[in-house]
mmCIF file of all heavy atoms in Angstrom:
data_model
loop_
_atom_site.group_PDB
_atom_site.id
_atom_site.type_symbol
_atom_site.label_atom_id
_atom_site.label_comp_id
_atom_site.label_asym_id
_atom_site.label_seq_id
_atom_site.Cartn_x
_atom_site.Cartn_y
_atom_site.Cartn_z
ATOM 1 N N ALA A 24 22.330 2.009 -230.032
ATOM 2 C CA ALA A 24 22.356 0.534 -229.961
ATOM 3 C C ALA A 24 21.446 0.065 -228.775
ATOM 4 O O ALA A 24 20.780 -0.970 -228.919
ATOM 5 C CB ALA A 24 23.805 0.089 -229.723
ATOM 6 N N GLU A 25 21.421 0.824 -227.699
ATOM 7 C CA GLU A 25 20.532 0.421 -226.599
ATOM 8 C C GLU A 25 19.059 0.523 -226.995
ATOM 9 O O GLU A 25 18.251 -0.297 -226.623
ATOM 10 C CB GLU A 25 20.793 1.381 -225.414
ATOM 11 C CG GLU A 25 22.128 1.095 -224.711
ATOM 12 C CD GLU A 25 22.406 2.047 -223.581
ATOM 13 O OE1 GLU A 25 21.685 3.028 -223.470
ATOM 14 O OE2 GLU A 25 23.361 1.818 -222.832
ATOM 15 N N VAL A 26 18.739 1.525 -227.796
ATOM 16 C CA VAL A 26 17.367 1.666 -228.337
ATOM 17 C C VAL A 26 17.012 0.502 -229.194
ATOM 18 O O VAL A 26 15.925 -0.095 -229.100
ATOM 19 C CB VAL A 26 17.238 3.013 -229.122
ATOM 20 C CG1 VAL A 26 15.870 3.016 -229.843
ATOM 21 C CG2 VAL A 26 17.347 4.187 -228.192
ATOM 22 N N GLU A 27 17.943 0.096 -230.068
ATOM 23 C CA GLU A 27 17.715 -1.042 -230.942
ATOM 24 C C GLU A 27 17.627 -2.338 -230.141
ATOM 25 O O GLU A 27 16.812 -3.225 -230.525
ATOM 26 C CB GLU A 27 18.859 -1.147 -231.975
ATOM 27 C CG GLU A 27 18.852 -0.056 -233.038
ATOM 28 C CD GLU A 27 17.490 0.030 -233.801
ATOM 29 O OE1 GLU A 27 16.963 -1.033 -234.179
ATOM 30 O OE2 GLU A 27 17.009 1.136 -233.971
ATOM 31 N N ALA A 28 18.371 -2.451 -229.100
ATOM 32 C CA ALA A 28 18.264 -3.667 -228.284
ATOM 33 C C ALA A 28 16.857 -3.763 -227.627
ATOM 34 O O ALA A 28 16.278 -4.859 -227.500
ATOM 35 C CB ALA A 28 19.324 -3.647 -227.186
ATOM 36 N N ASN A 29 16.350 -2.632 -227.199
ATOM 37 C CA ASN A 29 15.007 -2.637 -226.685
ATOM 38 C C ASN A 29 13.968 -3.039 -227.751
ATOM 39 O O ASN A 29 13.021 -3.758 -227.492
ATOM 40 C CB ASN A 29 14.665 -1.211 -226.168
ATOM 41 C CG ASN A 29 15.378 -0.860 -224.883
ATOM 42 O OD1 ASN A 29 15.984 -1.665 -224.293
ATOM 43 N ND2 ASN A 29 15.274 0.401 -224.479
ATOM 44 N N LYS A 30 14.153 -2.550 -228.942
ATOM 45 C CA LYS A 30 13.303 -2.949 -230.043
ATOM 46 C C LYS A 30 13.374 -4.448 -230.320
ATOM 47 O O LYS A 30 12.368 -5.088 -230.667
ATOM 48 C CB LYS A 30 13.639 -2.196 -231.355
ATOM 49 C CG LYS A 30 13.341 -0.660 -231.258
ATOM 50 C CD LYS A 30 13.742 0.016 -232.595
ATOM 51 C CE LYS A 30 13.454 1.519 -232.598
ATOM 52 N NZ LYS A 30 13.858 2.194 -233.801
ATOM 53 N N GLU A 31 14.509 -5.010 -230.150
ATOM 54 C CA GLU A 31 14.723 -6.443 -230.297
ATOM 55 C C GLU A 31 13.911 -7.208 -229.318
ATOM 56 O O GLU A 31 13.244 -8.216 -229.635
ATOM 57 C CB GLU A 31 16.201 -6.780 -230.181
ATOM 58 C CG GLU A 31 16.506 -8.283 -230.223
ATOM 59 C CD GLU A 31 16.265 -8.941 -231.574
ATOM 60 O OE1 GLU A 31 16.085 -8.140 -232.600
ATOM 61 O OE2 GLU A 31 16.258 -10.124 -231.675
ATOM 62 N N VAL A 32 13.862 -6.758 -228.051
ATOM 63 C CA VAL A 32 13.063 -7.393 -227.023
ATOM 64 C C VAL A 32 11.569 -7.312 -227.440
ATOM 65 O O VAL A 32 10.855 -8.317 -227.306
ATOM 66 C CB VAL A 32 13.273 -6.733 -225.665
ATOM 67 C CG1 VAL A 32 12.277 -7.304 -224.612
ATOM 68 C CG2 VAL A 32 14.701 -6.926 -225.194
ATOM 69 N N VAL A 33 11.144 -6.169 -227.918
ATOM 70 C CA VAL A 33 9.760 -6.011 -228.392
ATOM 71 C C VAL A 33 9.438 -7.002 -229.509
ATOM 72 O O VAL A 33 8.383 -7.668 -229.491
ATOM 73 C CB VAL A 33 9.524 -4.533 -228.850
ATOM 74 C CG1 VAL A 33 8.161 -4.423 -229.522
ATOM 75 C CG2 VAL A 33 9.624 -3.577 -227.674
ATOM 76 N N ARG A 34 10.317 -7.087 -230.505
ATOM 77 C CA ARG A 34 10.085 -8.047 -231.600
ATOM 78 C C ARG A 34 10.000 -9.487 -231.110
ATOM 79 O O ARG A 34 9.107 -10.239 -231.573
ATOM 80 C CB ARG A 34 11.247 -7.945 -232.652
ATOM 81 C CG ARG A 34 11.169 -6.752 -233.539
ATOM 82 C CD ARG A 34 12.224 -6.830 -234.639
ATOM 83 N NE ARG A 34 13.596 -6.692 -234.180
ATOM 84 C CZ ARG A 34 14.208 -5.532 -234.135
ATOM 85 N NH1 ARG A 34 13.614 -4.393 -234.508
ATOM 86 N NH2 ARG A 34 15.483 -5.471 -233.717
ATOM 87 N N ARG A 35 10.860 -9.821 -230.211
ATOM 88 C CA ARG A 35 10.851 -11.209 -229.702
ATOM 89 C C ARG A 35 9.597 -11.537 -228.952
ATOM 90 O O ARG A 35 8.974 -12.594 -229.174
ATOM 91 C CB ARG A 35 12.087 -11.425 -228.814
ATOM 92 C CG ARG A 35 13.401 -11.493 -229.581
ATOM 93 C CD ARG A 35 14.637 -11.671 -228.674
ATOM 94 N NE ARG A 35 15.834 -11.794 -229.475
ATOM 95 C CZ ARG A 35 16.714 -12.730 -229.283
ATOM 96 N NH1 ARG A 35 16.591 -13.634 -228.292
ATOM 97 N NH2 ARG A 35 17.823 -12.785 -230.034
ATOM 98 N N ILE A 36 9.147 -10.681 -228.068
ATOM 99 C CA ILE A 36 7.927 -10.963 -227.299
ATOM 100 C C ILE A 36 6.714 -10.922 -228.221
ATOM 101 O O ILE A 36 5.778 -11.700 -228.008
ATOM 102 C CB ILE A 36 7.840 -9.930 -226.130
ATOM 103 C CG1 ILE A 36 8.998 -10.200 -225.134
ATOM 104 C CG2 ILE A 36 6.473 -10.101 -225.448
ATOM 105 C CD1 ILE A 36 8.985 -9.267 -223.943
ATOM 106 N N LYS A 37 6.745 -10.075 -229.239
ATOM 107 C CA LYS A 37 5.581 -10.040 -230.178
ATOM 108 C C LYS A 37 5.472 -11.436 -230.867
ATOM 109 O O LYS A 37 4.368 -11.930 -231.032
ATOM 110 C CB LYS A 37 5.774 -8.954 -231.213
ATOM 111 C CG LYS A 37 4.620 -8.805 -232.142
ATOM 112 C CD LYS A 37 4.802 -7.556 -233.061
ATOM 113 C CE LYS A 37 3.563 -7.399 -233.937
ATOM 114 N NZ LYS A 37 3.711 -6.205 -234.829
ATOM 115 N N VAL A 38 6.609 -12.013 -231.282
ATOM 116 C CA VAL A 38 6.539 -13.334 -231.894
ATOM 117 C C VAL A 38 6.068 -14.351 -230.908
ATOM 118 O O VAL A 38 5.254 -15.247 -231.225
ATOM 119 C CB VAL A 38 7.937 -13.727 -232.413
ATOM 120 C CG1 VAL A 38 7.931 -15.207 -232.893
ATOM 121 C CG2 VAL A 38 8.379 -12.807 -233.549
ATOM 122 N N MET A 39 6.530 -14.239 -229.659
ATOM 123 C CA MET A 39 6.166 -15.212 -228.639
ATOM 124 C C MET A 39 4.643 -15.212 -228.317
ATOM 125 O O MET A 39 4.125 -16.266 -227.958
ATOM 126 C CB MET A 39 6.954 -14.953 -227.351
ATOM 127 C CG MET A 39 8.410 -15.286 -227.476
ATOM 128 S SD MET A 39 9.450 -14.535 -226.165
ATOM 129 C CE MET A 39 8.707 -15.283 -224.723
ATOM 130 N N THR A 40 4.028 -14.049 -228.405
ATOM 131 C CA THR A 40 2.621 -13.989 -228.106
ATOM 132 C C THR A 40 1.766 -14.768 -229.101
ATOM 133 O O THR A 40 0.619 -15.186 -228.763
ATOM 134 C CB THR A 40 2.105 -12.525 -228.083
ATOM 135 O OG1 THR A 40 2.234 -12.007 -229.386
ATOM 136 C CG2 THR A 40 2.849 -11.704 -227.086
ATOM 137 N N GLY A 41 2.261 -14.965 -230.293
ATOM 138 C CA GLY A 41 1.484 -15.645 -231.341
ATOM 139 C C GLY A 41 0.504 -14.687 -232.011
ATOM 140 O O GLY A 41 -0.354 -15.148 -232.783
ATOM 141 N N VAL A 42 0.633 -13.378 -231.779
ATOM 142 C CA VAL A 42 -0.297 -12.416 -232.336
ATOM 143 C C VAL A 42 -0.250 -12.356 -233.875
ATOM 144 O O VAL A 42 -1.231 -11.973 -234.536
ATOM 145 C CB VAL A 42 -0.090 -11.006 -231.705
ATOM 146 C CG1 VAL A 42 1.227 -10.418 -232.225
ATOM 147 C CG2 VAL A 42 -1.230 -10.092 -232.002
ATOM 148 N N MET A 43 0.836 -12.770 -234.431
ATOM 149 C CA MET A 43 1.029 -12.706 -235.888
ATOM 150 C C MET A 43 0.541 -14.049 -236.594
ATOM 151 O O MET A 43 0.610 -14.110 -237.809
ATOM 152 C CB MET A 43 2.494 -12.459 -236.276
ATOM 153 C CG MET A 43 2.958 -11.111 -235.832
ATOM 154 S SD MET A 43 4.656 -10.698 -236.344
ATOM 155 C CE MET A 43 5.595 -11.826 -235.384
ATOM 156 N N LEU A 44 0.104 -14.957 -235.819
ATOM 157 C CA LEU A 44 -0.394 -16.211 -236.432
ATOM 158 C C LEU A 44 -1.817 -16.062 -236.955
ATOM 159 O O LEU A 44 -2.692 -15.503 -236.305
ATOM 160 C CB LEU A 44 -0.393 -17.309 -235.368
ATOM 161 C CG LEU A 44 0.951 -17.684 -234.740
ATOM 162 C CD1 LEU A 44 0.767 -18.770 -233.689
ATOM 163 C CD2 LEU A 44 1.924 -18.157 -235.795
ATOM 164 N N ARG A 45 -1.992 -16.422 -238.214
ATOM 165 C CA ARG A 45 -3.284 -16.444 -238.833
ATOM 166 C C ARG A 45 -3.662 -17.822 -239.279
ATOM 167 O O ARG A 45 -2.808 -18.642 -239.640
ATOM 168 C CB ARG A 45 -3.265 -15.526 -240.084
ATOM 169 C CG ARG A 45 -2.861 -14.093 -239.802
ATOM 170 C CD ARG A 45 -3.949 -13.331 -239.018
ATOM 171 N NE ARG A 45 -3.613 -11.903 -238.931
ATOM 172 C CZ ARG A 45 -2.892 -11.344 -238.001
ATOM 173 N NH1 ARG A 45 -2.396 -12.101 -237.058
ATOM 174 N NH2 ARG A 45 -2.670 -10.016 -238.029
ATOM 175 N N ASP A 46 -4.945 -18.158 -239.197
ATOM 176 C CA ASP A 46 -5.367 -19.488 -239.638
ATOM 177 C C ASP A 46 -4.944 -19.736 -241.052
ATOM 178 O O ASP A 46 -5.144 -18.949 -241.924
ATOM 179 C CB ASP A 46 -6.915 -19.638 -239.489
ATOM 180 C CG ASP A 46 -7.349 -19.662 -238.042
ATOM 181 O OD1 ASP A 46 -6.494 -19.920 -237.184
ATOM 182 O OD2 ASP A 46 -8.547 -19.433 -237.746
ATOM 183 N N SER A 47 -4.368 -20.941 -241.255
ATOM 184 C CA SER A 47 -3.864 -21.254 -242.600
ATOM 185 C C SER A 47 -3.901 -22.755 -242.771
ATOM 186 O O SER A 47 -4.433 -23.484 -241.931
ATOM 187 C CB SER A 47 -2.456 -20.709 -242.737
ATOM 188 O OG SER A 47 -1.958 -20.932 -244.048
ATOM 189 N N VAL A 48 -3.274 -23.226 -243.836
ATOM 190 C CA VAL A 48 -3.335 -24.664 -244.161
ATOM 191 C C VAL A 48 -2.302 -25.411 -243.314
ATOM 192 O O VAL A 48 -2.396 -26.595 -243.100
ATOM 193 C CB VAL A 48 -3.067 -24.910 -245.640
ATOM 194 C CG1 VAL A 48 -4.255 -24.400 -246.478
ATOM 195 C CG2 VAL A 48 -1.751 -24.331 -246.101
ATOM 196 N N GLN A 49 -1.263 -24.658 -242.806
ATOM 197 C CA GLN A 49 -0.234 -25.272 -241.980
ATOM 198 C C GLN A 49 -0.077 -24.396 -240.772
ATOM 199 O O GLN A 49 0.463 -23.325 -240.847
ATOM 200 C CB GLN A 49 1.072 -25.476 -242.742
ATOM 201 C CG GLN A 49 2.079 -26.291 -241.974
ATOM 202 C CD GLN A 49 3.276 -26.713 -242.854
ATOM 203 O OE1 GLN A 49 3.363 -26.222 -244.009
ATOM 204 N NE2 GLN A 49 4.177 -27.537 -242.344
ATOM 205 N N ASN A 50 -0.574 -24.889 -239.604
ATOM 206 C CA ASN A 50 -0.658 -24.061 -238.437
ATOM 207 C C ASN A 50 0.141 -24.501 -237.255
ATOM 208 O O ASN A 50 0.335 -25.684 -237.030
ATOM 209 C CB ASN A 50 -2.118 -23.975 -237.953
ATOM 210 C CG ASN A 50 -3.012 -23.257 -238.988
ATOM 211 O OD1 ASN A 50 -2.813 -22.105 -239.306
ATOM 212 N ND2 ASN A 50 -4.039 -23.936 -239.486
ATOM 213 N N ILE A 51 0.693 -23.533 -236.523
ATOM 214 C CA ILE A 51 1.078 -23.733 -235.134
ATOM 215 C C ILE A 51 -0.038 -23.377 -234.250
ATOM 216 O O ILE A 51 -0.549 -22.217 -234.316
ATOM 217 C CB ILE A 51 2.364 -22.867 -234.803
ATOM 218 C CG1 ILE A 51 3.616 -23.400 -235.487
ATOM 219 C CG2 ILE A 51 2.538 -22.806 -233.265
ATOM 220 C CD1 ILE A 51 4.847 -22.625 -235.180
ATOM 221 N N ASP A 52 -0.611 -24.338 -233.506
ATOM 222 C CA ASP A 52 -1.760 -24.024 -232.689
ATOM 223 C C ASP A 52 -1.361 -23.506 -231.327
ATOM 224 O O ASP A 52 -0.161 -23.330 -231.006
ATOM 225 C CB ASP A 52 -2.689 -25.222 -232.570
ATOM 226 C CG ASP A 52 -2.011 -26.443 -231.952
ATOM 227 O OD1 ASP A 52 -1.152 -26.254 -231.074
ATOM 228 O OD2 ASP A 52 -2.336 -27.566 -232.279
ATOM 229 N N ASN A 53 -2.320 -23.216 -230.473
ATOM 230 C CA ASN A 53 -2.103 -22.599 -229.206
ATOM 231 C C ASN A 53 -1.225 -23.510 -228.274
ATOM 232 O O ASN A 53 -0.322 -22.986 -227.603
ATOM 233 C CB ASN A 53 -3.423 -22.279 -228.468
ATOM 234 C CG ASN A 53 -4.155 -21.134 -229.129
ATOM 235 O OD1 ASN A 53 -3.568 -20.322 -229.828
ATOM 236 N ND2 ASN A 53 -5.470 -21.058 -228.871
ATOM 237 N N THR A 54 -1.481 -24.791 -228.340
ATOM 238 C CA THR A 54 -0.664 -25.720 -227.527
ATOM 239 C C THR A 54 0.742 -25.676 -227.968
ATOM 240 O O THR A 54 1.665 -25.704 -227.132
ATOM 241 C CB THR A 54 -1.246 -27.151 -227.614
ATOM 242 O OG1 THR A 54 -2.620 -27.118 -227.127
ATOM 243 C CG2 THR A 54 -0.443 -28.111 -226.807
ATOM 244 N N ASP A 55 0.973 -25.664 -229.281
ATOM 245 C CA ASP A 55 2.347 -25.619 -229.808
ATOM 246 C C ASP A 55 3.104 -24.371 -229.342
ATOM 247 O O ASP A 55 4.250 -24.467 -228.928
ATOM 248 C CB ASP A 55 2.328 -25.672 -231.354
ATOM 249 C CG ASP A 55 1.678 -26.911 -231.927
ATOM 250 O OD1 ASP A 55 1.692 -27.956 -231.201
ATOM 251 O OD2 ASP A 55 1.220 -26.831 -233.050
ATOM 252 N N ILE A 56 2.475 -23.212 -229.414
ATOM 253 C CA ILE A 56 3.138 -21.952 -229.002
ATOM 254 C C ILE A 56 3.415 -21.972 -227.521
ATOM 255 O O ILE A 56 4.467 -21.460 -227.095
ATOM 256 C CB ILE A 56 2.338 -20.742 -229.484
ATOM 257 C CG1 ILE A 56 3.217 -19.473 -229.545
ATOM 258 C CG2 ILE A 56 1.157 -20.468 -228.570
ATOM 259 C CD1 ILE A 56 4.129 -19.470 -230.722
ATOM 260 N N VAL A 57 2.550 -22.588 -226.746
ATOM 261 C CA VAL A 57 2.751 -22.685 -225.276
ATOM 262 C C VAL A 57 3.956 -23.558 -225.017
ATOM 263 O O VAL A 57 4.812 -23.225 -224.218
ATOM 264 C CB VAL A 57 1.481 -23.206 -224.596
ATOM 265 C CG1 VAL A 57 1.790 -23.585 -223.172
ATOM 266 C CG2 VAL A 57 0.395 -22.136 -224.581
ATOM 267 N N LYS A 58 3.988 -24.673 -225.702
ATOM 268 C CA LYS A 58 5.170 -25.592 -225.517
ATOM 269 C C LYS A 58 6.475 -24.944 -225.934
ATOM 270 O O LYS A 58 7.481 -25.083 -225.260
ATOM 271 C CB LYS A 58 4.930 -26.899 -226.314
ATOM 272 C CG LYS A 58 3.819 -27.765 -225.691
ATOM 273 C CD LYS A 58 3.586 -28.990 -226.610
ATOM 274 C CE LYS A 58 4.705 -29.999 -226.472
ATOM 275 N NZ LYS A 58 4.343 -31.225 -227.268
ATOM 276 N N LEU A 59 6.447 -24.233 -227.030
ATOM 277 C CA LEU A 59 7.686 -23.553 -227.490
ATOM 278 C C LEU A 59 8.133 -22.514 -226.470
ATOM 279 O O LEU A 59 9.335 -22.382 -226.200
ATOM 280 C CB LEU A 59 7.411 -22.875 -228.837
ATOM 281 C CG LEU A 59 7.391 -23.765 -230.077
ATOM 282 C CD1 LEU A 59 6.796 -23.006 -231.238
ATOM 283 C CD2 LEU A 59 8.812 -24.220 -230.431
ATOM 284 N N ASN A 60 7.196 -21.754 -225.870
ATOM 285 C CA ASN A 60 7.537 -20.700 -224.976
ATOM 286 C C ASN A 60 7.933 -21.206 -223.587
ATOM 287 O O ASN A 60 8.768 -20.573 -222.910
ATOM 288 C CB ASN A 60 6.423 -19.708 -224.845
ATOM 289 C CG ASN A 60 6.324 -18.729 -225.993
ATOM 290 O OD1 ASN A 60 7.352 -18.288 -226.507
ATOM 291 N ND2 ASN A 60 5.094 -18.404 -226.432
ATOM 292 N N ASN A 61 7.322 -22.301 -223.177
ATOM 293 C CA ASN A 61 7.510 -22.766 -221.777
ATOM 294 C C ASN A 61 8.634 -23.821 -221.649
ATOM 295 O O ASN A 61 8.840 -24.258 -220.515
ATOM 296 C CB ASN A 61 6.248 -23.285 -221.223
ATOM 297 C CG ASN A 61 5.211 -22.175 -220.976
ATOM 298 O OD1 ASN A 61 5.550 -21.001 -221.035
ATOM 299 N ND2 ASN A 61 3.964 -22.566 -220.736
ATOM 300 N N THR A 62 9.302 -24.188 -222.718
ATOM 301 C CA THR A 62 10.368 -25.177 -222.602
ATOM 302 C C THR A 62 11.546 -24.492 -221.794
ATOM 303 O O THR A 62 11.962 -23.405 -222.146
ATOM 304 C CB THR A 62 10.904 -25.588 -223.960
ATOM 305 O OG1 THR A 62 9.827 -26.202 -224.705
ATOM 306 C CG2 THR A 62 12.042 -26.580 -223.889
ATOM 307 N N THR A 63 12.002 -25.175 -220.800
ATOM 308 C CA THR A 63 13.060 -24.593 -219.930
ATOM 309 C C THR A 63 14.411 -24.645 -220.666
ATOM 310 O O THR A 63 14.617 -25.432 -221.566
ATOM 311 C CB THR A 63 13.141 -25.334 -218.576
ATOM 312 O OG1 THR A 63 13.432 -26.706 -218.848
ATOM 313 C CG2 THR A 63 11.827 -25.202 -217.833
ATOM 314 N N GLY A 64 15.317 -23.799 -220.154
ATOM 315 C CA GLY A 64 16.635 -23.763 -220.753
ATOM 316 C C GLY A 64 16.832 -22.479 -221.544
ATOM 317 O O GLY A 64 16.067 -21.534 -221.459
ATOM 318 N N TYR A 65 17.923 -22.471 -222.292
ATOM 319 C CA TYR A 65 18.293 -21.322 -223.102
ATOM 320 C C TYR A 65 17.396 -21.218 -224.358
ATOM 321 O O TYR A 65 16.944 -22.241 -224.881
ATOM 322 C CB TYR A 65 19.741 -21.377 -223.520
ATOM 323 C CG TYR A 65 20.323 -20.096 -224.022
ATOM 324 C CD1 TYR A 65 20.160 -18.921 -223.274
ATOM 325 C CD2 TYR A 65 21.083 -20.052 -225.159
ATOM 326 C CE1 TYR A 65 20.725 -17.767 -223.698
ATOM 327 C CE2 TYR A 65 21.656 -18.838 -225.626
ATOM 328 C CZ TYR A 65 21.457 -17.724 -224.859
ATOM 329 O OH TYR A 65 22.020 -16.508 -225.304
ATOM 330 N N LYS A 66 17.126 -19.970 -224.791
ATOM 331 C CA LYS A 66 16.122 -19.762 -225.790
ATOM 332 C C LYS A 66 16.516 -18.571 -226.686
ATOM 333 O O LYS A 66 17.174 -17.618 -226.188
ATOM 334 C CB LYS A 66 14.778 -19.502 -225.119
ATOM 335 C CG LYS A 66 13.576 -19.163 -226.030
ATOM 336 C CD LYS A 66 12.411 -18.934 -225.116
ATOM 337 C CE LYS A 66 11.134 -18.628 -225.887
ATOM 338 N NZ LYS A 66 10.008 -18.403 -224.966
ATOM 339 N N THR A 67 16.119 -18.597 -227.909
ATOM 340 C CA THR A 67 16.220 -17.419 -228.761
ATOM 341 C C THR A 67 14.989 -17.294 -229.671
ATOM 342 O O THR A 67 14.325 -18.316 -229.935
ATOM 343 C CB THR A 67 17.509 -17.480 -229.649
ATOM 344 O OG1 THR A 67 17.678 -16.169 -230.232
ATOM 345 C CG2 THR A 67 17.404 -18.501 -230.772
ATOM 346 N N VAL A 68 14.656 -16.087 -230.014
ATOM 347 C CA VAL A 68 13.512 -15.836 -230.893
ATOM 348 C C VAL A 68 14.025 -14.843 -231.951
ATOM 349 O O VAL A 68 14.414 -13.736 -231.644
ATOM 350 C CB VAL A 68 12.349 -15.168 -230.105
ATOM 351 C CG1 VAL A 68 11.148 -14.924 -231.020
ATOM 352 C CG2 VAL A 68 11.940 -16.070 -228.899
ATOM 353 N N GLU A 69 13.992 -15.300 -233.187
ATOM 354 C CA GLU A 69 14.554 -14.482 -234.303
ATOM 355 C C GLU A 69 13.427 -14.123 -235.269
ATOM 356 O O GLU A 69 12.474 -14.890 -235.455
ATOM 357 C CB GLU A 69 15.685 -15.263 -234.976
ATOM 358 C CG GLU A 69 16.753 -15.815 -234.080
ATOM 359 C CD GLU A 69 17.553 -14.674 -233.454
ATOM 360 O OE1 GLU A 69 17.595 -13.564 -233.981
ATOM 361 O OE2 GLU A 69 18.221 -14.976 -232.411
ATOM 362 N N TYR A 70 13.611 -12.942 -235.887
ATOM 363 C CA TYR A 70 12.607 -12.423 -236.801
ATOM 364 C C TYR A 70 13.316 -11.605 -237.897
ATOM 365 O O TYR A 70 14.202 -10.822 -237.599
ATOM 366 C CB TYR A 70 11.624 -11.534 -236.047
ATOM 367 C CG TYR A 70 10.621 -10.785 -236.928
ATOM 368 C CD1 TYR A 70 9.433 -11.339 -237.252
ATOM 369 C CD2 TYR A 70 10.934 -9.479 -237.376
ATOM 370 C CE1 TYR A 70 8.501 -10.596 -238.039
ATOM 371 C CE2 TYR A 70 10.030 -8.794 -238.150
ATOM 372 C CZ TYR A 70 8.848 -9.368 -238.451
ATOM 373 O OH TYR A 70 7.961 -8.649 -239.294
ATOM 374 N N LYS A 71 12.891 -11.857 -239.145
ATOM 375 C CA LYS A 71 13.459 -11.092 -240.254
ATOM 376 C C LYS A 71 12.380 -10.825 -241.312
ATOM 377 O O LYS A 71 11.716 -11.818 -241.737
ATOM 378 C CB LYS A 71 14.665 -11.840 -240.905
ATOM 379 C CG LYS A 71 15.311 -11.077 -242.031
ATOM 380 C CD LYS A 71 16.513 -11.800 -242.557
ATOM 381 C CE LYS A 71 17.157 -11.078 -243.752
ATOM 382 N NZ LYS A 71 17.647 -9.685 -243.366
#
């Protein structure tokens, strides 16, 4: 379970980097991802 929890942290940070974003017809741009990541307070990042 501890190993899986570490993997969860990896998944979350990978989403946060925006590395999986590809140019498309409906985009989250760099400014959007910065705002999402830098908003203060409690936060979650989910991936499935």
Side-chain angles (χ1 to χ4, degrees):
E25 289 176 349
V26 171
E27 290 303 316
N29 289 352
K30 290 180 181 178
E31 175 69 12
V32 174
V33 172
R34 283 190 291 267
R35 288 179 176 225
I36 293 180
K37 186 174 182 179
V38 173
M39 291 165 58
T40 63
V42 70
M43 294 184 293
L44 299 178
R45 303 289 189 271
D46 290 342
S47 185
V48 293
Q49 190 169 6
N50 292 300
I51 287 179
D52 59 31
N53 290 338
T54 299
D55 298 336
I56 201 75
V57 168
K58 290 175 72 176
L59 283 165
N60 280 323
N61 290 348
T62 301
T63 59
Y65 197 47
K66 175 180 181 179
T67 192
V68 182
E69 307 294 339
Y70 172 90
K71 182 176 177 61

